[in-house]
């Protein structure tokens, strides 16, 4: 049956002005029409009419980089530089990671992302089949990849098994409508050039995305140069890895020459401002990247280094830090970060049929409640999305024409069960840490 959604405001795409008192028409999983109420409703008299009232319907947000199971580590190590945080706290506890922790940590993060209006995200972690299992049950979309390292993983064991698992996932999910697989070497300081080259070969064989952390900190660049005599970008370029399928995360420490190389090769970059700020990694040269024409996404990073999965907050931060850093409020605009968080992010992850609410696109959307005091007055709905909205103010979420959350209630997750499981996992983690 056809559905017609109407609301006070509809944002069809970041390039278009929000439409007041509009409608979108959904057939199965796609949008087939849009326009004013007085035209659309008479045109589809047999459709189910859903009037959402004083709300803003907008394209589902895209969290273009995260590690969703890491919600179970939120708050476990704070106020530390990246390398200390990672090597002295996160890697040791991850060496004893359990797959059931990953499953329930994913469920916890999915709750948070749904309530932040996210319909699609990109994940890199361990025991990734457990992540995918949770996502299949809940109904969101993902570009997922098992994190690959030179050292043994608690998930797959030796690296060769990691390559096998990645190829198995690529084959098993080749035709899945909501799940795509990336090849995910962790970084150039945890993966040798030989390992990265093998990853590139797999990606080429399956025409898959390469998802890698790159040039996040000055320490990373020093460590890689000490090991291999070259900077990370130079190594990746010589390996043939800077190309249209590259999704490079962070890129805080890029030179102008490296930015131009990334643009020339049509490589993609995902900006994670809050995690970079919290870990003291620095501020990425976002305005230079935009000026160079690089296709950019926005991500929260993991909920252990952010410490949340709120894309509204991420958009606000991305805007504000560039304006303050450059002492110029015009260097980046709300439309820029909204593009990064919707259609650009979706394109980067290989989901080019989502990110806009236009005919032919998938019906992946979120609904913001404008009745909250912080959402009034509604002169500028795009500014409300970027500067005012917060996780928890999304009342409804739809993926492929199916409601995932309706009237603030998530349909496919028992929230109380997830919270109880995570409380038990916390006790198990504390016990493991006490045995260090």
């Amino acid at each position: 049956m056809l559905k017609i959604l109407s609301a006070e405001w509809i944002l069809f795409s970041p390039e278009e002005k929000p439409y007041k008192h509009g409608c979108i028409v959904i057939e199965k999983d796609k949008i087939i029409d849009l326009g004013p109420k007085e035209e659309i409703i008479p045109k589809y008299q047999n459709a189910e009419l859903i009037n959402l009232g004083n709300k803003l319907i907008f394209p589902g947000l895209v969290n273009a980089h995260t590690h969703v199971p890491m919600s179970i580590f939120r708050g476990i190590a704070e106020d530390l530089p990246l390398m200390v945080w990672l090597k002295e706290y996160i890697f040791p506890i991850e060496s004893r990671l359990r797959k059931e922790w990953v499953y329930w940590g994913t469920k916890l993060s999915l709750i948070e992302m749904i309530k932040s209006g996210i319909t699609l995200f990109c994940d890199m972690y361990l025991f990734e089949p457990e992540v995918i299992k949770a996502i299949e049950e809940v109904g969101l979309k993902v570009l997922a990849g098992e994190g690959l390292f030179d050292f043994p993983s608690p998930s797959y064991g030796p690296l060769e098994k990691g390559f096998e698992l990645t190829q198995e996932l690529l084959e098993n999910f080749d035709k899945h409508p909501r799940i795509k697989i990336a090849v995910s070497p962790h970084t150039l300081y945890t993966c040798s050039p030989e390992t990265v080259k093998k990853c590139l070969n797999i990606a080429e064989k399956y025409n898959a995305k390469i998802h890698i952390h790159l040039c996040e900190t000055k320490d990373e660049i020093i460590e890689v140069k000490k090991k291999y005599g070259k900077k990370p970008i130079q190594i990746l370029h010589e390996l043939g890895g800077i190309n249209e399928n590259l999704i490079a995360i962070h890129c805080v420490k890029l030179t102008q020459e490296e930015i131009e190389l990334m643009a020339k090769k049509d490589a993609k970059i995902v900006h994670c401002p809050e995690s970079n700020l919290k870990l003291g990694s620095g501020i990425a040269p976002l305005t230079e990247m935009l000026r160079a024409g690089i296709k950019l996404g926005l991500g929260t990073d993991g909920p252990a280094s952010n410490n949340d999965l709120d894309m509204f907050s991420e958009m606000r931060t991305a805007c504000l830090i560039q304006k303050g850093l450059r002492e110029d409020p015009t260097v980046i605009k709300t439309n820029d970060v909204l593009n990064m968080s919707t259609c650009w992010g979706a394109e980067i992850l290989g989901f080019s049929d989502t990110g806009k609410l236009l005919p032919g696109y998938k019906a992946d959307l979120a609904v913001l409640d404008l009745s909250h005091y912080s959402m009034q007055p509604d002169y500028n709905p795009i500014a409300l999305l970027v500067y005012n909205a917060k996780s928890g103010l999304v009342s409804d979420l739809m993926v492929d024409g199916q409601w995932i959350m309706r009237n603030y209630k998530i349909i496919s997750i028992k929230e109380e069960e997830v919270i109880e499981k995570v409380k038990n996992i916390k006790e198990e983690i504390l016990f493991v840490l006490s045995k260090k």
Side-chain angles (χ1 to χ4, degrees), residues 136-290:
E136 284 191 288
E137 291 171 2
V138 173
L140 295 193
K141 295 183 176 182
V142 71
L143 174 66
E146 181 79 18
L148 300 170
F149 308 83
D150 282 341
F151 46 84
S153 162
S155 168
Y156 53 74
L159 179 58
E160 283 305 316
K161 293 290 183 183
F163 291 140
E164 289 175 17
L165 173 58
T166 296
Q167 292 185 87
E168 184 181 312
L169 290 172
L170 284 162
E171 288 167 8
N172 289 347
F173 291 92
D174 180 43
K175 303 295 183 186
H176 198 287
R178 291 185 291 103
I179 294 167
K180 297 181 187 292
I181 304 300
V183 184
S184 301
H186 180 250
T187 65
L188 276 158
Y189 60 85
T190 55
C191 295
S192 68
E194 292 76 19
T195 296
V196 173
K197 185 61 180 175
K198 287 181 182 177
C199 290
L200 291 169
N201 290 340
I202 294 170
E204 186 177 3
K205 178 181 176 182
Y206 292 93
N207 192 28
K209 306 291 184 184
I210 281 277
H211 179 204
I212 185 170
H213 302 89
L214 191 66
C215 297
E216 184 174 0
T217 67
K218 60 183 179 184
D219 289 342
E220 171 193 337
I221 292 168
I222 290 167
E223 185 173 334
V224 169
K225 201 166 183 181
K226 190 176 178 182
K227 270 186 179 180
Y228 307 113
K230 297 170 183 175
K231 292 172 69 179
I233 290 281
Q234 186 182 354
I235 293 170
L236 196 57
H237 181 40
E238 289 176 0
L239 292 171
I242 298 181
N243 57 46
E244 68 279 2
N245 282 327
L246 175 65
I247 304 173
I249 312 305
H250 302 303
C251 294
V252 175
K253 300 299 180 184
L254 291 192
T255 65
Q256 185 59 41
E257 185 181 6
E258 289 169 337
I259 289 170
E260 289 167 8
L261 173 65
M262 297 284 272
K264 182 182 176 183
K265 295 291 185 178
D266 196 24
K268 316 303 189 293
I269 292 175
V270 176
H271 181 41
C272 303
E274 292 188 349
S275 177
N276 294 156
L277 288 171
K278 184 170 180 283
L279 292 168
S281 303
I283 299 170
L286 186 63
T287 54
E288 286 82 359
M289 293 172 183
L290 284 166

Side-chain angles (χ1 to χ4, degrees), residues 36-148:
K37 280 184 180 180
E38 58 270 20
E39 289 181 14
I40 292 294
I41 292 174
K43 190 175 172 182
Y44 299 96
Q45 292 184 11
N46 294 323
E48 178 190 7
L49 177 60
I50 302 169
N51 184 358
L52 294 164
N54 190 21
K55 307 280 178 72
L56 165 63
I57 302 173
F58 62 98
L61 298 179
V62 179
N63 186 351
H65 173 72
T66 189
H67 314 280
V68 287
M70 293 186 79
S71 55
I72 58 171
F73 301 139
R74 184 163 25 212
I76 212 165
E78 299 293 352
D79 305 322
L80 298 166
L82 173 65
M83 292 302 188
V84 176
W85 178 81
L86 197 60
K87 294 182 179 181
E88 295 184 21
Y89 292 87
I90 299 302
F91 281 169
I93 187 65
E94 283 181 340
S95 70
R96 286 171 276 186
L97 195 65
R98 302 171 189 173
K99 69 179 185 178
E100 59 271 22
W101 293 0
V102 168
Y103 174 80
W104 290 107
T106 300
K107 282 282 184 84
L108 181 65
S109 290
L110 292 177
I111 293 170
E112 188 174 355
M113 287 198 292
I114 289 167
K115 295 190 176 188
S116 183
I118 295 165
T119 52
L120 166 63
F121 66 100
C122 183
D123 191 68
M124 175 200 291
Y125 204 58
L126 308 168
F127 293 106
E128 202 67 15
E130 294 296 311
V131 175
I132 293 169
K133 176 185 171 187
I135 295 162
E136 284 191 288
E137 291 171 2
V138 173
L140 295 193
K141 295 183 176 182
V142 71
L143 174 66
E146 181 79 18
L148 300 170

